Amino acid sequence: MSHHWVQRALHPVNAKLDDHLPTDHKLSQVYRVGAGLTGLLLVVFGILGLIDEIGFFDTGGDTVLALNTNGALSVLSICIGGLLFVGMVIGGTFASTLNIVLGVAFILSGFVNLALLDTGFNFLAFQIQNVLFSFVVGVMLMWFGMYGRVGSALPHDNPYWRARHPEQAAREERVAQARS
């Protein structure tokens, strides 16, 4: 019995989730839209920052769309936005995982930059509004990435629920086949 719990702790999902989400599954659209909209927002912010010809590591108070920025933050925003566009194009669990990972990165960035606000290490010219934006974008990306993938009330036809509960899914499938 204890061996089962050790295996379950080491391998909580006994299947690759990539294999259980068809490429045309409706959840993929949520992941794609989340990645695409957020990527577009970041690219626009980055381009507007570069158009203003702000110094690369300038920490002076130049604002774009009510957020402080400099050349480094603008380039970083364009790169992250581009990465999100790649996730949008690929879709599926790649986009979901990318949204989750970048969401966590945005939240961590918010905390790190909050600690660096009034120091000489604030190379990205963050102000409190940037920190709040980072938190909001992080939570938004995580929501888009986790939608339909994580939760206690996932429907039993959800591919992620089925991958996590293969025995019960097989039982339910046998019952459904017996009825038809």
Side-chain angles (χ1 to χ4, degrees):
M1 183 73 162
S2 65
H3 175 12
H4 171 74
W5 290 106
V6 171
Q7 283 296 98
R8 192 75 170 149
L10 293 175
H11 305 287
V13 177
N14 295 328
K16 292 177 84 176
L17 294 179
D18 294 350
D19 297 338
H20 296 283
L21 184 64
T23 55
D24 62 342
H25 196 278
K26 62 184 177 182
L27 289 174
S28 184
Q29 296 306 314
V30 174
Y31 309 143
R32 286 174 186 250
V33 167
L37 289 176
T38 308
L40 178 65
L41 177 69
L42 292 171
V43 168
V44 167
F45 172 74
I47 289 172
L48 291 175
L50 289 178
I51 288 173
D52 280 354
E53 297 181 15
I54 302 166
F56 201 73
F57 289 113
D58 182 18
T59 58
D62 297 304
T63 61
V64 170
L65 301 175
L67 296 171
N68 225 43
T69 192
N70 62 15
L73 184 57
S74 295
V75 169
L76 183 61
S77 296
I78 292 170
C79 291
I80 301 286
L83 185 58
L84 284 165
F85 280 139
V86 169
M88 179 187 72
V89 170
I90 294 173
T93 53
F94 176 80
S96 171
T97 302
L98 181 66
N99 287 344
I100 293 169
V101 168
L102 289 178
V104 169
F106 267 89
I107 289 173
L108 290 175
S109 168
F111 281 117
V112 167
N113 285 294
L114 180 63
L116 299 176
L117 276 183
D118 291 324
T119 70
F121 297 107
N122 188 4
F123 297 114
L124 296 177
F126 262 56
Q127 295 295 327
I128 194 67
Q129 64 268 25
N130 297 76
V131 171
L132 295 174
F133 178 80
S134 189
F135 288 149
V136 168
V137 169
V139 169
M140 185 175 70
L141 278 172
M142 287 176 48
W143 183 85
F144 276 120
M146 292 179 185
Y147 183 81
R149 188 171 179 176
V150 178
S152 61
L154 294 176
H156 290 202
D157 64 343
N158 181 293
Y160 297 106
W161 183 90
R162 296 180 71 74
R164 291 184 190 114
H165 304 91
E167 298 89 15
Q168 188 174 350
R171 279 193 305 269
E172 290 178 7
E173 191 171 321
R174 283 193 301 272
V175 168
Q177 286 176 351
R179 287 183 186 161
S180 53

